[in-house]
Amino acid sequence: MRMVDLIRKKRTGEEMTEPEIRYVVDGVVSGTIPDYQIAAWAMAVCFTGMTAAETARLTMAMANSGDVVDLSAIRGVKVDKHSTGGVGDKTTLILAPMVAACGVPVAKMSGRGLGHTGGTIDKLEAIAGFRTELSREAFFSQVNEIGVSVIGQSGNIAPADKKLYALRDVTGTVDSIPLIASSVMSKKIAAGADAILLDVKFGSGAFMKTAEEAIELAKAMVAIGTEVGRNTVAAITDMDQPLGRLIGNALEVREAIEILRGEGPADLRELCLELGSHMLVLGGRAGDAAEAREKLEQAIASGEALRKLGRLIAAQGGDPAVAERPELLPQAAARVTVAAAADGYVHGIDAEEIGVAAMRLGAGRAAKDDEIDYAVGIELLAKRGDRVRRGDAIAILHARADDGAAAEAREQVLGAYAFGAEPPAAQPLVYAVVSKDGVRR
Ligand code: URA
């Protein structure tokens, strides 16, 4: 086989066979196919797409390119959850203890943040002492013992995707539904879960800018999961403004604790109940969404979900007192107020701009090896639909003392807000649910 022939074949939109896909994936991993040919092939995929069968072949070849985790040592139906990325998205910190409290075992491998989106592992490491690297045996026995563990993703999960993604990132070939779908699903399948819940975001802070594009991506991922025997459901959710009110590592842990206490912002609570319901149904712990929601609400009201978070923190070496007293988390030295420049209603908050502003304050990484500051971040006081007057505080920056970056971040946060004279049209948080049975709007 010659790569040049496969590039030509893909350029004219022909379907690639399994051995051909495997040839490309093997060549990516071994380095025998040069980057320029892989990039040309990825560009051809961007233009001509892939059939469902071809996308499934690419997914499985990438999933099998490294470690494939066998979770069978853990009892019960293991349900994984994946978000396509957002700003202020701390749902894993809430869902993991909450669904574990309802009997679904959570053996979760998560990633670090890069660029404007945060990563669950960085957020957990804001808790002093919390260990995110456990041996496989310790990981399994913790889930069997307390029902939940969240660790960093092993370096050798889907290495083909890692290399291909790095190349796509610098060759303008990220935005292709078959490439994104196979990238996400290859990692989920290699991570070993029996069932997969996807939170596919759309809006200013997401890869997919419209709900319809997000539905297309979700359909591709559900089709892959169905093809390879992993029950997969996708919720299509709004990322036209950051989720919740707090952005930044320790701040997001704080907000997760608020939700587990039965407090916190309504949008975040609602999304967690929606996603958690799907997880309970997928995990066989509830017959339908209504029963699942009742169980989740009960786990919050009884304090069981919060206690589960405390047990998770203790089991992984952190101070469990944080779950009861979030003020023990790192706190930034300075507060900088962002004030509204005019009267009006908040129509939107560009999530990507807020994510970049948080990164500037030190909450995220511009490059892979950058150090992050757990204490800093952004608190959004006004969200879509709120009415503000000129001079009102709409956000507070949690910054380092004497930080020159705070002035720039303040301008950026202000610029991220869009105002209008009339209240904005209502926008649902969950736009649709995609499963093997179709799209429910
Ligand atoms: N997230 C992924 O894991 N892969 C993509 O291609 C895009 C988003």
Side-chain angles (χ1 to χ4, degrees), residues 112 119 121-128 130 247-253 329-332 362-365 371-377 398 400:
R112 295 190 182 279
I121 289 303
D122 298 321
K123 294 170 198 178
L124 285 169
E125 286 178 352
I127 303 167
F130 194 99
I247 296 107
N249 298 286
L251 289 170
E252 294 193 35
V253 175
L329 289 161
Q331 302 208 31
R365 299 182 185 83
E371 289 259 321
I372 57 177
D373 185 333
Y374 296 117
V376 300
H398 292 236
R400 297 171 181 141

Side-chain angles (χ1 to χ4, degrees), residues 105-118:
V106 178
K108 178 105 188 91
M109 293 184 206
S110 286
R112 295 190 182 279
L114 184 62
H116 74 279
T117 59

Side-chain angles (χ1 to χ4, degrees), residues 238-260:
D238 176 24
M239 190 33 77
D240 242 347
Q241 65 175 348
L243 190 57
R245 293 193 180 272
L246 299 179
I247 296 107
N249 298 286
L251 289 170
E252 294 193 35
V253 175
R254 193 176 103 194
E255 195 166 61
I257 293 168
E258 285 173 13
I259 298 292
L260 292 171

Side-chain angles (χ1 to χ4, degrees), residues 123-180:
K123 294 170 198 178
L124 285 169
E125 286 178 352
I127 303 167
F130 194 99
R131 280 181 287 117
T132 54
E133 279 182 29
L134 299 185
S135 70
R136 264 307 132 79
E137 295 68 35
F139 177 54
F140 293 169
S141 61
Q142 183 178 318
V143 182
N144 277 332
E145 209 167 297
I146 67 163
V148 57
S149 181
V150 184
I151 60 171
Q153 188 175 290
S154 111
N156 202 35
I157 293 277
D161 171 65
K162 203 172 186 178
K163 280 198 167 180
L164 184 57
Y165 188 83
L167 205 54
R168 286 167 56 212
D169 206 21
V170 292
T171 55
T173 52
V174 168
D175 330 28
S176 146
I177 284 179
L179 292 181
I180 298 176

Side-chain angles (χ1 to χ4, degrees), residues 1-3 6 16 18-39 41 58 61-62 65 159-161 163-164 167:
M1 241 178 262
R2 292 191 322 155
M3 188 63 187
L6 300 183
M16 288 174 68
E18 208 211 325
E20 287 169 341
I21 294 269
R22 237 183 311 114
Y23 175 83
V24 175
V25 170
D26 289 348
V28 168
V29 177
S30 62
T32 49
I33 302 176
D35 285 358
Y36 52 82
Q37 286 192 307
I38 297 163
W41 173 81
L58 176 60
M62 293 202 295
S65 67
D161 171 65
K163 280 198 167 180
L164 184 57
L167 205 54

Side-chain angles (χ1 to χ4, degrees), residues 336 338 360-361 397 399 403-414:
V336 178
V338 182
R360 279 211 171 130
L361 291 170
L397 309 184
D403 185 1
E408 280 174 35
R410 179 167 55 187
E411 289 313 304
Q412 192 164 14
V413 169
L414 190 57

Side-chain angles (χ1 to χ4, degrees), residues 82-85 161 165 168 173-174 176 179-185 187 207:
H82 178 84
S83 156
T84 57
D161 171 65
Y165 188 83
R168 286 167 56 212
T173 52
V174 168
S176 146
L179 292 181
I180 298 176
S182 55
S183 165
V184 170
M185 291 300 285
K187 288 174 284 210
F207 282 108

